[in-house]
Amino acid sequence: MHITKHKVAAIRYTLRNDAGEVLDSSEGGEPLYYLHGEHNLIPGMEEGLEGRQAGDKLNLSIPPEKGYGVRDPKNVHEVPKTAFGGSPVEVGMQFQADDGMVVTVKEVGPTSVKIDANHELAGETLHFDIEVVEVRDATDDELSHGHAHGPGGHH
């Protein structure tokens, strides 16, 4: 069976940056199950997995435009420190903004805080080593929910 729209695929993967540093990996854990064609993965990864089958091993290099996007300077803002309600704020902390977007603290000044709403991997070329472990038909529940429920279609 091949990976096509509305198939559930299980993959093992390792993600590296341009320097070869491992950023994420499923090694030592369960494979990642996803419903193909429902935007559950970044576009470049879905495109690279289209038509593959269990046992396939591949390497994908995904440019920012097909990954988490290019860095947008309009997503970097300076806000008053008082916006954090007196809570301690440190570089690297992440918060969910009122609109649901996750922002990362980049700088903390005496009266203001610089936050960045770009995804942490925006602007990065992503290098994936992938093994397709399983491909199966999605269950009706998975199709109606728009995501995979794991091995055999169960949560």
Side-chain angles (χ1 to χ4, degrees):
M1 183 177 294
H2 294 270
I3 298 175
T4 57
K5 186 172 177 88
H6 293 160
K7 298 292 185 200
V8 171
I11 60 171
R12 293 193 186 283
Y13 69 91
T14 297
L15 168 61
R16 291 182 173 81
N17 61 15
D18 280 335
E21 299 166 314
V22 174
L23 303 177
D24 193 18
S25 179
S26 64
E27 190 174 321
E30 293 296 316
L32 171 69
Y33 283 81
Y34 79 98
L35 179 59
H36 194 77
E38 292 297 321
H39 311 288
N40 291 303
L41 298 179
I42 56 174
M45 196 169 198
E46 279 210 352
E47 291 169 9
L49 287 165
E50 178 78 24
R52 302 297 183 148
Q53 59 189 353
D56 285 356
K57 293 181 179 182
L58 61 149
N59 304 100
L60 295 176
S61 286
I62 300 172
E65 297 80 8
K66 296 280 185 162
Y68 292 98
V70 294
R71 292 196 60 74
D72 185 349
K74 290 183 278 185
N75 286 338
V76 179
H77 305 279
E78 199 155 312
V79 297
K81 207 171 191 180
T82 56
F84 295 88
S87 297
V89 181
E90 297 177 12
V91 172
M93 293 177 93
Q94 293 187 314
F95 296 92
Q96 189 165 349
D98 292 337
D99 62 3
M101 185 169 272
V102 175
V103 298
T104 303
V105 175
K106 293 299 186 180
E107 294 177 17
V108 179
T111 60
S112 65
V113 176
K114 186 181 282 187
I115 58 171
D116 187 348
N118 286 292
H119 188 281
E120 64 184 330
L121 295 176
E124 299 278 340
T125 297
L126 307 172
H127 304 279
F128 285 94
D129 298 323
I130 301 171
E131 178 184 4
V132 179
V133 177
E134 177 186 351
V135 181
R136 63 171 173 79
D137 290 321
T139 66
D140 289 340
D141 276 348
E142 288 171 321
L143 291 173
S144 69
H145 294 164
H147 61 264
H149 290 168
H154 304 291
H155 283 287

